[in-house]
Amino acid sequence: SIAGHNNYDGTMFGKTKKLEIGDNIYLTDLKKQTINYQIYNKFVTNPNDVNILKTDDKSVREVTLITCTDDSKLRVVVKCKEVK
């Protein structure tokens, strides 16, 4: 999981609200290999919801992006699966 602030100036996760299911997320690891993930779910939930960290399929690498809503009361969760 990766968490970041929802900054109004668009930095950090400030543009998360523009992401849609099917969009790609690219992460580069310490070996400088870029891994492609595709968004398969996006939703808003309570900050105490720990179920957001569960994976649907343990054989596929996943990334979960977490940030707050504009009013900071809820959490925006973006679930992504690796594309091979």
Side-chain angles (χ1 to χ4, degrees), residues 36-38 40 55-63 80-84:
N36 180 16
Y37 293 88
Q38 188 171 62
Y40 73 90
T55 58
D56 292 338
D57 182 351
K58 294 191 188 284
S59 68
V60 177
R61 292 200 306 187
E62 290 192 16
V63 169
C80 311
K81 289 184 182 179
E82 182 180 15
V83 176
K84 292 188 178 190

Side-chain angles (χ1 to χ4, degrees), residues 43-59:
F43 57 93
V44 175
T45 190
N46 181 297
N48 299 318
D49 182 2
V50 295
N51 290 321
I52 62 172
L53 301 176
K54 292 182 181 176
T55 58
D56 292 338
D57 182 351
K58 294 191 188 284
S59 68

Side-chain angles (χ1 to χ4, degrees), residues 18-80:
K18 295 181 179 182
L19 295 174
E20 298 179 6
I21 292 174
D23 286 348
N24 290 311
I25 304 286
Y26 301 93
L27 299 176
T28 303
D29 65 17
L30 295 174
K31 296 177 184 176
K32 305 219 185 288
Q33 295 176 327
T34 300
I35 303 160
N36 180 16
Y37 293 88
Q38 188 171 62
I39 298 171
Y40 73 90
N41 197 1
K42 181 181 174 184
F43 57 93
V44 175
T45 190
N46 181 297
N48 299 318
D49 182 2
V50 295
N51 290 321
I52 62 172
L53 301 176
K54 292 182 181 176
T55 58
D56 292 338
D57 182 351
K58 294 191 188 284
S59 68
V60 177
R61 292 200 306 187
E62 290 192 16
V63 169
T64 302
L65 307 178
I66 306 166
T67 192
C68 58
T69 54
D70 288 341
D71 62 6
S72 298
K73 293 182 179 180
L74 299 172
R75 299 295 173 260
V76 177
V77 178
V78 179
K79 303 284 285 183
C80 311

